[in-house]
Amino acid sequence: MLRYIYANDLHRFPKLARSMFQDRADQFRTRLGWEVTVDENGEERDQYDDLNPLYVIWEQADGTHGGSMRFLPTTGRVMINEIFGHLTGGAPICSPLIWECTRFCLARDAGGNIAGALMLAGGEIMRNFGVKHFAGVFDKRMVRIYRAIGSSPEILGTEGEGRDQINVGLWEFTPDSYEVVAKRCGIPTDVSQRWFDQSFGYVAEQPLPMSA
């Protein structure tokens, strides 16, 4: 199932949080070779994890991390402005209607539809919080994944070649794209909405399908 958890509440889900940061280390340092900071517990974090971001996390049946993304409003400090601003022409992206999405991560044993489930969760954030766009930084391999999910961004800037290519993209929410992503990942929209509502205390938590 999908969980929406602010950083200051991660302590309530120690197994889920620990496995998320360990999977981030595995993906970004071990598999992709990025220069990221990994602590003595094998967990990857950066300065933006200290800003109380909102995490969307796919929780597997055993309580561990299957995939995740991190969100911050662009009205505050964000990676896209502080590190990759040159890819947007030097003009900061700053709006309460635009949030940054980073650290898209999938566990090695993640099911084939978890990437789509995460993108569907992004749609829930947009629908329920009134967010109009997401801005994000992603590597070349994600272009194919986003296309397969049915949620391709507008590319604002690119640098590097091949495996080292980095892109800045902008996603716009539309009801049609939300429905397409839900259909492709096999999660009914009412189930997706209920997961969102449960995370923010709108409804009592009840058993729901865990598969994706």
Side-chain angles (χ1 to χ4, degrees), residues 174-189:
T174 68
D176 287 345
S177 64
Y178 171 76
E179 294 289 342
V180 168
V181 172
K183 184 175 181 179
R184 290 191 181 181
C185 71
I187 297 175
T189 55

Side-chain angles (χ1 to χ4, degrees), residues 5 14-15 31 33 38 40 44 46-47 62 69 77 87-88 90 93 97 101 106 112 119 123 135 140 162 168 184 196:
I5 308 172
K15 184 176 183 180
R31 288 186 272 163
V38 177
E40 64 276 9
E44 186 274 321
D46 67 12
Q47 57 186 312
D62 64 355
M69 298 189 296
R77 292 183 52 216
L87 295 182
T88 60
I93 295 175
L97 303 180
C101 173
L106 295 173
M119 295 304 293
K140 185 176 181 179
V168 171
R184 290 191 181 181
F196 181 92

Side-chain angles (χ1 to χ4, degrees), residues 19-20 22-34 36 65-67 104-110 139 141 145 163-164:
S19 55
M20 176 180 71
Q22 289 175 343
D23 281 341
R24 278 177 36 173
D26 179 52
Q27 175 170 308
F28 299 126
R29 185 174 72 174
T30 304
R31 288 186 272 163
L32 295 177
W34 292 6
V36 295
H65 167 267
F104 188 107
C105 176
L106 295 173
R108 285 182 184 252
D109 60 349
D139 57 85
R141 71 192 173 89
I145 293 174
R163 178 188 175 95
D164 297 325

Side-chain angles (χ1 to χ4, degrees), residues 18-177:
R18 181 174 62 254
S19 55
M20 176 180 71
F21 290 119
Q22 289 175 343
D23 281 341
R24 278 177 36 173
D26 179 52
Q27 175 170 308
F28 299 126
R29 185 174 72 174
T30 304
R31 288 186 272 163
L32 295 177
W34 292 6
E35 294 183 4
V36 295
T37 300
V38 177
D39 67 16
E40 64 276 9
N41 297 313
E43 300 178 11
E44 186 274 321
R45 288 180 173 83
D46 67 12
Q47 57 186 312
Y48 302 100
D49 291 302
D50 297 329
L51 302 178
N52 197 32
L54 174 62
Y55 299 98
V56 172
I57 309 174
W58 179 266
E59 181 180 6
Q60 307 208 77
D62 64 355
T64 61
H65 167 267
S68 56
M69 298 189 296
R70 180 180 67 189
F71 295 90
L72 281 166
T74 60
T75 50
R77 292 183 52 216
V78 287
M79 181 184 296
I80 201 168
N81 290 333
E82 296 184 343
I83 299 177
F84 296 99
H86 60 289
L87 295 182
T88 60
I93 295 175
C94 181
S95 168
L97 303 180
I98 304 176
W99 285 18
E100 179 184 71
C101 173
T102 55
R103 286 305 194 259
F104 188 107
C105 176
L106 295 173
R108 285 182 184 252
D109 60 349
N113 291 331
I114 291 180
L118 294 173
M119 295 304 293
L120 182 62
E124 295 296 354
I125 291 174
M126 286 180 157
R127 290 194 324 130
N128 289 279
F129 288 167
V131 177
K132 300 302 183 184
H133 293 88
F134 286 146
V137 180
F138 54 94
D139 57 85
K140 185 176 181 179
R141 71 192 173 89
M142 293 303 301
V143 174
R144 175 184 56 80
I145 293 174
Y146 292 141
R147 186 182 302 119
I149 293 169
S151 183
S152 295
E154 173 190 355
I155 304 297
L156 302 181
T158 300
E159 70 176 2
E161 299 290 338
R163 178 188 175 95
D164 297 325
Q165 185 183 94
I166 295 295
N167 305 279
V168 171
L170 192 69
W171 286 262
E172 179 181 11
F173 174 80
T174 68
D176 287 345
S177 64

